[in-house]
Amino acid sequence: MADEKLTSQKENFSEWYNQVVLRADLADYSPVRGCMVVKPYGWALWENMQSQLDRRFKETGHVNAAFPMLIPKSFFEKEKEHVEGFSPELAVVTVGGGQELDEPLVIRPTSETIIGHMYAKWIKSYRDLPVLINQWANVVRWEMRTRLFLRTLEFFWQEGHTAHATAEEAQEETLRMLDVYADFAINEAAVPVIKGVKSESEKFAGAVNTYSIEAMMGDTKALQAGTSHNLGQNFAKAFDIKYLDQNNTLQYCWTTSWGVSTRFVGAIIMTHGDDNGLILPPRLAPYQVVIVPIYKNEEERSKVMEAVESVRKQLSGFRVKVDDRTEVTPGFKYHEWELRGVPLRLEIGPKDVEKNSVMAARRDIPGRAGKSILSQDQLAGQVQDLLDTIQAALLKRATDFRDANIHDVSSYDELKQVVESGWANAFWCGCADCEAKIKEETKATSRCQPFDQDRSQKGACVVCGKETDRRTYFSKAY
RNA sequence: CGGGGUGUAGCGCAGUUGGCAGCGCACCGCGUUUGGGACGCGGGGGUCCGCGGUUCAAGUCCGCGCACCCCGACCA
């Protein structure tokens, strides 16, 4: 596997990305164009992400359920914007059991329609509200161009779907889940994200408002890492989701939906990775620690392996891999586990047995500078400290990189220049024409209008000059 | 769907004028190695993308398909 140098990020970021995904053994191409096989190492990473997200969903009152993958095609014709948004990318089943179907079935691209249909059946009274359901599922969207994890025909995600009695509650829920995503991204994945509102043209098909967390990748392009939609009463009206309020009056519900997908794996790869490969944040890494034993002969081997065993026992509270392969040398293992992003490597050889020590190597600091000698006594505490340090260092590095590549711009020329290698923070009037012009001429799109901004300042829209108090990020994006 | 490219061993590729299908890595066996990508010897593995044609003879020439990759429009 790991027999050659990786293409460097500087040379060709996108080639670097592809090579890392394949060589780190996260995923592989499938026989079907645009689909991917998530391999055990990649899936283990996803499972850790899932459990951190799922814990947060439960803590905020949500429960999991499973809705079917096949949805009657007619459901996609009920909400006008939703139809327009999704019809070009639907996969449709027309034959079942050798018979032409009376009504074609769509393989879900997202589940607002089928869930809306069921909610209409389940919700009768204000006492039934709110309904707070999440599902972990796979969905299919017939994309033109695909890339492993970032955009595949089939992908895995969670989609939360909630129904509320009031507009205020739905809005609160929408923002609560955006906060959950940001908290996960920052504190688990060490991916600094910016929360904000999507523009009219970038919002979800059928939503009143779409909010997102936006992340900056290592090549300064943006990646939408999670979204939360306030659907207003659009789907409630299309699917007849109604309840009787305290005054015995029939009301439409207010609904939301929100999702994070396996795309986030791509965000982790492109936020932290370097020219030696993947760097995984300790809190999500499938293996937090890899132990590489070193010995020359049978006598050394038995002593070293004894120490390795005792270290492994001390570290039972961590996700540890002991690489006891005999067919490859320690140096080979160092390179391989660096490529695969394990945050901390412990080397144990004859010298360590003698001195009751282990050599620790941090993945985030290459070479000698990242190495330190630990005592075998009270190792768990030292390892925990190192992992915490690495987690914090990754977040800081990514945050510094992001901030260094976001520039306030005050003119259109400046914006054009900035989006070639970073994000532009610009006053924008919010109109579709100005946005379209930027996209047309620079290939940069509006990412979000960040919550965190000083609205007392006014300025001129970088395109048309109209006065506004709103700044928006523009950049090239995945 | 437009533009470009590629299909030969698991992967990366070479294959001249049409004349026994090869190389590197990976894999298997044995031995020596092992603190930053080890080495020697031996070995296994092929529908040359598919179909049709030309020819004594096709990986190679001709025709028609198909698939995948890259660049655009579309998207989480």
Side-chain angles (χ1 to χ4, degrees):
Chain A
M1 182 200 313
D3 54 329
E4 287 157 38
K5 269 243 168 337
L6 215 52
T7 297
S8 75
Q9 293 186 330
K10 209 175 168 186
E11 197 181 327
N12 185 342
F13 195 83
S14 139
E15 180 60 25
W16 170 87
Y17 176 83
N18 288 334
Q19 288 184 8
V20 166
V21 170
L22 295 172
R23 290 169 57 173
D25 221 22
L26 295 173
D28 201 355
Y29 293 104
S30 88
V32 177
R33 177 195 77 86
C35 292
M36 72 173 162
V37 176
V38 182
K39 296 185 74 175
Y41 192 60
W43 195 257
L45 174 58
W46 176 238
E47 281 180 339
N48 290 340
M49 295 166 65
Q50 282 184 299
S51 74
Q52 290 302 332
L53 283 166
D54 203 64
R55 176 170 65 79
R56 287 169 168 77
F57 300 156
K58 305 268 169 69
E59 284 170 2
T60 44
H62 302 83
V63 289
N64 286 334
F67 292 83
M69 181 169 63
L70 297 174
I71 301 175
K73 190 155 183 288
S74 59
F75 281 26
F76 284 85
E77 281 138 29
K78 294 188 178 184
E79 208 289 329
K80 189 169 154 289
E81 284 183 26
H82 202 60
V83 189
E84 288 169 14
F86 280 101
S87 56
E89 53 186 58
L90 296 181
V92 183
V93 176
T94 58
V95 175
Q99 301 280 313
E100 186 85 12
L101 301 175
D102 291 339
E103 182 181 352
L105 300 173
V106 166
I107 300 176
R108 63 184 166 207
T110 178
S111 304
E112 278 77 6
T113 58
I114 182 87
I115 292 178
H117 176 87
M118 297 314 296
Y119 281 7
K121 187 174 168 187
W122 295 341
I123 297 167
K124 306 262 189 280
S125 147
Y126 71 93
R127 294 195 174 92
D128 298 325
L129 296 172
V131 175
L132 306 172
I133 293 180
N134 174 66
Q135 80 167 343
W136 291 94
N138 54 344
V139 293
V140 170
R141 299 179 186 179
W142 216 262
E143 301 290 352
M144 288 303 161
R145 285 200 58 212
T146 59
R147 300 203 52 196
L148 293 170
F149 288 112
L150 297 177
R151 188 174 301 104
T152 44
L153 293 199
E154 178 190 23
F155 60 92
F156 301 87
W157 74 346
Q158 56 69 216
E159 45 179 328
H161 296 270
T162 68
H164 307 265
T166 66
E168 291 71 28
E169 270 183 50
Q171 178 65 7
E172 266 173 44
E173 168 76 4
T174 307
L175 296 180
R176 179 181 304 120
M177 299 323 287
L178 190 71
D179 284 342
V180 161
Y181 287 157
D183 180 59
F184 163 80
I186 293 166
N187 296 312
E188 304 293 344
V191 173
V193 290
I194 290 173
K195 293 184 286 184
V197 197
K198 284 296 204 182
S199 72
E200 198 60 24
S201 75
E202 294 282 328
K203 80 176 192 197
F204 177 73
V208 171
N209 262 317
T210 288
Y211 301 86
S212 72
I213 49 172
E214 299 286 329
M216 184 187 285
M217 302 296 100
D219 60 353
T220 74
K221 282 168 78 172
L223 184 88
Q224 181 176 310
T227 50
S228 187
H229 314 292
N230 184 336
L231 304 174
Q233 291 181 313
N234 292 349
F235 283 86
K237 285 178 177 165
F239 288 89
D240 228 26
I241 312 171
K242 288 183 289 200
Y243 71 97
L244 274 178
D245 68 14
Q246 288 93 323
N247 307 316
N248 205 33
T249 311
L250 211 47
Q251 305 275 6
Y252 283 110
C253 286
W254 302 81
T255 67
T256 80
S257 68
W258 26 275
V260 159
S261 74
T262 37
R263 172 180 244 205
F264 204 105
V265 172
I268 291 172
I269 298 168
M270 292 193 291
T271 297
H272 302 305
D274 67 11
D275 284 348
N276 294 324
L278 214 52
I279 301 181
L280 296 175
R283 295 184 61 91
L284 296 176
Y287 300 126
Q288 299 170 300
V289 177
V290 61
I291 300 175
V292 178
I294 299 155
Y295 48 80
K296 286 193 175 64
N297 50 48
E298 185 53 37
E299 193 197 340
E300 285 183 357
R301 197 195 74 87
S302 65
K303 283 184 186 163
V304 165
M305 291 314 288
E306 202 180 309
V308 166
E309 248 336 285
S310 111
V311 165
R312 189 222 293 265
K313 275 193 193 125
Q314 282 198 63
L315 300 181
S316 60
F318 300 89
R319 298 186 289 274
V320 175
K321 169 76 179 176
V322 174
D323 189 349
D324 55 4
R325 287 176 295 175
T326 54
E327 66 272 22
V328 289
T329 60
F332 182 94
K333 293 175 186 177
Y334 299 168
H335 283 271
E336 181 166 298
W337 291 112
E338 280 167 11
L339 172 64
R340 301 184 72 183
V342 176
L344 189 64
R345 180 180 73 238
L346 299 181
E347 307 165 12
I348 303 178
K351 291 178 209 164
D352 299 294
V353 171
E354 210 173 292
K355 291 187 284 190
N356 193 43
S357 64
V358 303
M359 179 66 86
R362 285 173 60 170
R363 174 63 184 87
D364 61 321
I365 304 177
R368 191 158 285 279
K371 287 200 174 188
S372 58
I373 296 170
L374 309 181
S375 163
Q376 283 184 35
D377 300 328
Q378 251 104 82
L379 192 57
Q382 302 175 73
V383 164
Q384 186 63 62
D385 287 349
L386 271 172
L387 291 176
D388 289 346
T389 304
I390 294 167
Q391 180 83 27
L394 289 177
L395 179 61
K396 180 172 190 315
R397 180 154 79 190
T399 307
D400 290 349
F401 176 82
R402 180 196 70 190
D403 293 345
N405 287 289
I406 298 181
H407 306 284
D408 289 356
V409 298
S410 49
S411 72
Y412 187 50
D413 280 344
E414 217 181 323
L415 179 142
K416 276 202 244 185
Q417 198 200 320
V418 163
V419 297
E420 285 306 309
S421 61
W423 293 12
N425 183 17
F427 281 111
W428 167 46
C429 65
C431 86
D433 288 348
C434 293
E435 187 181 19
K437 182 178 171 180
I438 292 172
K439 187 173 178 179
E440 169 86 29
E441 294 179 7
T442 69
K443 289 180 186 164
T445 50
S446 74
R447 300 322 306 158
C448 72
Q449 186 192 108
F451 293 158
D452 183 15
Q453 63 174 294
D454 178 6
R455 290 285 278 279
S456 66
Q457 302 256 333
K458 286 193 190 327
C461 169
V462 283
V463 183
C464 69
K466 191 173 147 191
E467 188 176 78
T468 173
D469 63 351
R470 285 155 203 242
R471 281 181 171 272
T472 295
Y473 290 119
F474 287 88
S475 80
K476 292 181 183 175
Y478 279 98

